[in-house]
């Protein structure tokens, strides 16, 4: 289940804290400081989305997975803007608001209209209804009082902080691999094992003994491919960015496109491409990303760098290098 009320409470709390920090923060230049205080752009975001979808038994690269992600993102930004309008009611809108009041309200209405594009048959009625209600409130209050912040949300990579938060996945990313190896700054390595797999297996109907066998198989083989008891139709639920059960690179782009209509800013995310990807493939990906309405896209072709901080664990002890953005 998804705790909607707890999520909204957290959004309101963290967004308010970020708003308070605008006036107390230091900025690199006076021009940046002046702009930041005049427009008060905030960047609320989330981490562990990939693990959430896996725990619910939803493939990352699926219509259901994208609908769930879109609804959660819509609720987050909608409630953030509603909170921003409530703050504006007390202390006034951001300084630059009246220069383009109509434009700001138009943007909020465009966000609200995008909620209608989420397939109601693929996401819980309560979650989708809460997202729509949040945007209704945001638009209604903004038309009365304006908003305190010109921007509310963005999706950062959350590499380091995600690790400290015990997240299995960072930002909007799927898991890189079910077993990963992280190189430490001071030397040495540490293994990072996905702990969402047992929850996902339980959600999919496997019993405790079957789950135990599958988890032990992953521990030894460093992959879920070929695991005992695992049904073939459930393989996409455990697909990762890299490895022998990987998500097609367009699956990454489609996920970004699903949530972009509900974000003020862009999405910091790596689109992993296979080593054999051609120049034309990469060109087409950027065209597709543009057509889908993305504000930013970053790609990484497998094995195009010598070393990375995070890599996939291999049974024979070899590591497959792949990139990870670290916040």
């Amino acid at each position: 289940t998804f705790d909607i009320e707890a999520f909204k409470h957290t959004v309101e709390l963290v967004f308010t804290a970020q708003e308070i920090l605008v006036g107390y923060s230091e900025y690199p230049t006076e021009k940046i400081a002046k702009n930041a205080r005049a427009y008060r752009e905030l960047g609320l975001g989330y981490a562990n989305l990939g693990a959430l979808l896996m725990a619910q038994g939803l493939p990352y690269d699926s219509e259901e997975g994208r609908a769930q992600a879109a609804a959660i993102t819509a609720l987050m930004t909608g409630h953030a803007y509603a909170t921003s309008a409530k703050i504006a009611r007390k202390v006034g809108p951001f300084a630059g608001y009246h220069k383009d009041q109509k434009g700001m309200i138009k943007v909020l209405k465009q966000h609200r209209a995008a909620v209608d594009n989420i397939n109601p048959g693929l996401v819980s009625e309560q979650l989708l209804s809460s997202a729509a209600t949040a945007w209704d409130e945001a638009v209604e209050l903004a038309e009365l009082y304006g908003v305190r912040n010109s921007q509310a949300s963005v999706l950062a990579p959350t590499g380091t902080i995600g690790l400290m938060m015990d997240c299995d996945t960072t930002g909007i990313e799927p898991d890189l691999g079910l077993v990963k190896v992280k190189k430490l700054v001071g030397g040495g390595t540490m293994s990072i094992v996905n702990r969402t797999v047992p929850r996902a297996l339980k959600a999919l109907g496997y019993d405790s003994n079957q789950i135990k066998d599958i988890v032990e198989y992953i521990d030894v083989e460093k992959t879920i491919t070929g695991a005992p008891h695992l049904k073939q139709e459930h393989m996409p639920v455990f697909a990762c960015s890299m490895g022998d059960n990987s998500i097609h690179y367009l699956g990454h782009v489609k996920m970004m496109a699903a949530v972009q209509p509900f974000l003020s800013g862009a999405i910091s995310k790596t689109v992993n491409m296979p080593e054999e990807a051609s120049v034309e493939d990469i060109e087409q990906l950027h065209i597709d990303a543009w057509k889908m309405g993305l504000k930013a896209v970053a790609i990484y072709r497998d094995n195009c760098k010598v070393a990375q901080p995070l890599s996939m664990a291999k049974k024979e002890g070899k590591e497959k290098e792949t990139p990870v953005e670290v916040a």
Side-chain angles (χ1 to χ4, degrees):
T1 59
F2 187 83
D3 193 335
I4 295 171
E5 290 308 312
F7 184 74
K8 288 172 62 179
H9 173 74
T10 306
V11 166
E12 191 167 336
L13 186 68
V14 177
F15 190 85
T16 303
Q18 288 184 325
E19 158 58 25
I20 292 168
L21 282 172
V22 172
Y24 293 93
S25 297
E26 295 292 333
Y27 300 93
T29 68
E30 185 55 38
K31 189 174 181 180
I32 292 174
K34 183 179 178 181
N35 188 74
R37 292 182 177 123
Y39 288 88
R40 312 185 77 81
E41 307 99 324
L42 300 186
L44 189 68
Y46 51 65
N48 223 28
L49 178 76
L52 170 66
L53 297 179
M54 185 184 290
Q56 293 180 323
L58 300 176
Y60 184 89
D61 185 11
S62 69
E63 291 299 327
E64 293 84 357
R66 289 187 280 271
Q68 179 83 351
I72 291 170
T73 311
L75 176 59
M76 177 184 73
T77 304
H79 193 58
Y81 268 123
T83 301
S84 183
K86 290 174 185 176
I87 296 172
R89 180 170 57 187
K90 297 291 185 180
V91 296
F94 63 91
Y97 175 73
H98 295 293
K99 291 180 181 178
D100 192 15
Q101 181 176 348
K102 289 183 179 179
M104 187 73 219
I105 298 299
K106 180 184 176 183
V107 168
L108 296 181
K109 288 182 176 179
Q110 285 178 318
H111 285 304
R112 170 61 185 90
V115 178
D116 295 334
N117 296 329
I118 301 174
N119 189 333
L122 301 179
V123 65
S124 82
E125 182 181 352
Q126 188 180 7
L127 178 58
L128 190 56
S129 175
S130 295
T133 300
W135 276 109
D136 286 341
E137 184 181 21
V139 171
E140 181 182 346
L141 291 174
E143 288 181 321
L144 290 173
Y145 311 109
V147 286
R148 184 65 173 164
N149 312 90
S150 61
Q151 295 186 19
S153 59
V154 72
L155 289 183
T158 70
T160 302
I161 195 172
L163 186 68
M164 296 175 72
M165 290 164 60
D166 268 353
C167 294
D168 273 331
T169 62
T170 60
I172 194 176
E173 297 277 6
D175 203 356
L176 181 73
L178 298 183
V179 182
K180 303 170 285 296
V181 174
K182 182 173 178 62
K183 294 179 181 177
L184 304 176
V185 174
T189 61
M190 65 180 287
S191 291
I192 304 173
V193 181
N194 185 305
R195 293 151 303 162
T196 305
V197 172
R199 295 175 62 188
L201 290 169
K202 185 177 180 181
L204 292 169
Y206 293 88
D207 63 38
S208 57
N209 289 327
Q210 291 174 323
I211 293 172
K212 182 175 179 289
D213 290 344
I214 295 171
V215 170
E216 286 179 353
Y217 179 90
I218 296 171
D219 188 44
V220 174
E221 301 294 333
K222 312 304 181 189
T223 178
I224 200 168
T225 303
H229 317 299
L230 188 67
K231 297 176 182 177
Q232 188 61 36
E233 62 263 31
H234 292 156
M235 282 291 286
V237 174
F238 304 98
C240 298
S241 292
M242 303 298 293
D244 50 14
N245 182 29
S246 61
I247 297 165
H248 190 274
Y249 56 83
L250 276 180
H252 295 265
V253 181
K254 289 177 181 177
M255 177 59 83
M256 295 168 74
V259 305
Q260 183 66 85
F262 310 109
L263 293 167
S264 301
I267 304 165
S268 183
K269 183 195 178 322
T270 301
V271 176
N272 294 92
M273 302 187 75
E275 189 173 2
E276 59 270 18
S278 66
V279 172
E280 290 74 23
D281 290 334
I282 294 170
E283 178 187 35
Q284 187 60 49
L285 185 149
H286 281 83
I287 293 171
D288 290 340
W290 169 66
K291 286 181 177 179
M292 291 182 198
L294 298 189
K295 294 183 179 181
V297 65
I299 65 101
Y300 178 83
R301 192 175 65 171
D302 191 26
N303 284 332
C304 77
K305 283 189 175 182
V306 176
Q308 291 294 339
L310 204 58
S311 55
M312 288 181 61
K314 292 286 184 179
K315 183 184 178 183
E316 62 272 19
K318 294 180 181 178
E319 298 171 5
K320 189 166 186 177
E321 300 290 352
T322 195
V324 167
E325 296 181 73
V326 179

